[in-house]
Amino acid sequence: QTCALPISTGQMTQDIFRDDLIREMPNLRAFALSLCGSTAQADDLMQDTLVKAWSHRTSFQDGSNLRAWLFTILRNSFYSLKRREQHEISDSDAQIAESMAAKPEQEGHLHLHDFHLALARLPDEQREALILIGASDLSYEEAALVCNVAVGTVKSRVNRARARLAELLDIKGPEDIGDDPQLADRKSTRLN
């Protein structure tokens, strides 16, 4: 049963907080999926984030940036999970997953697959910054808050991530993005 009264002066009601959490779920899931690369892990990470956010809702101040607060919780949970996984055997080169996956039949899926592989090869900090800015639509300032770094550091990470992605995908300029007949020839050698 929810309480319609404010939790304390200056804080949101539980109903408003719950509704705001629900509105942020697609953004949280997208961020979690881009960090984890696995739907099941992303769903677990998002659920863990929601549970932590709900249990610490009294520490969230009304008027603060809820998305940045939630992304920070998710990010911290992700890195805690990564530290624990250092002691586990993983499928880091995705050979097991590749053997179980059905190959896409359309060329667009191949390009998307190449992009996902290249994105996975970026250092965690660069991938995270690129996802926060490019996919999660956060400002550089909001991303800096989430990552607990300076705005310039986020800008630098995004720039390095974009440059590395272009290198991994063998994109030299805007002309490579269009219908280039050589793209089909390059797709098999791109990420070797």
Side-chain angles (χ1 to χ4, degrees):
Q1 197 173 39
T2 60
C3 175
L5 299 174
I7 298 166
S8 67
T9 306
Q11 294 186 333
M12 314 174 104
T13 65
Q14 288 183 8
D15 289 341
I16 294 171
F17 188 78
R18 182 196 63 229
D19 293 345
D20 288 349
L21 277 181
I22 290 169
R23 269 193 293 281
E24 288 299 329
M25 285 174 63
N27 296 320
L28 283 172
R29 187 169 192 281
F31 184 44
L33 185 58
S34 60
L35 288 176
C36 298
S38 159
T39 303
Q41 287 180 333
D43 288 343
D44 289 345
L45 185 58
M46 184 183 77
Q47 181 178 352
D48 185 49
T49 300
L50 292 171
V51 168
K52 287 178 181 177
W54 185 258
S55 64
H56 294 94
R57 65 189 176 275
T58 57
S59 66
F60 180 76
Q61 292 296 313
D62 190 17
S64 297
N65 188 326
L66 180 63
R67 182 179 295 175
W69 187 67
L70 292 170
F71 277 26
T72 301
I73 293 170
L74 190 141
R75 176 185 180 269
N76 290 343
S77 296
F78 172 73
Y79 283 114
S80 293
L81 179 67
K82 292 284 275 186
R83 283 190 295 276
R84 283 191 302 257
E85 286 178 350
Q86 288 177 350
H87 304 288
E88 299 174 3
I89 297 173
S90 66
D91 186 23
S92 61
D93 57 1
Q95 286 183 352
I96 296 170
E98 284 291 318
S99 69
M100 296 168 45
K103 300 294 179 195
E105 295 179 17
Q106 297 175 347
E107 188 173 326
H109 288 278
L110 293 174
H111 295 301
L112 185 60
H113 179 72
D114 287 350
F115 175 77
H116 283 292
L117 289 175
L119 188 64
R121 290 183 60 185
L122 294 177
D124 289 340
E125 295 83 14
Q126 289 179 16
R127 182 175 62 249
E128 173 186 59
L130 187 62
I131 290 164
L132 288 171
I133 299 300
S136 299
D137 201 28
L138 293 182
S139 67
Y140 284 103
E141 292 77 14
E142 291 170 329
L145 286 173
V146 170
C147 296
N148 196 27
V149 296
V151 174
T153 301
V154 173
K155 289 180 179 181
S156 176
R157 288 176 181 175
V158 169
N159 187 45
R160 287 193 313 265
R162 287 178 178 158
R164 182 67 178 138
L165 273 179
E167 179 184 318
L168 289 169
L169 296 171
D170 197 24
I171 297 173
K172 292 172 184 43
E175 66 279 356
D176 282 348
I177 296 171
D179 288 13
D180 184 348
Q182 294 178 351
L183 280 177
D185 295 336
R186 288 193 298 223
K187 73 176 180 334
S188 62
T189 59
R190 254 188 213 150
L191 300 174
N192 294 336

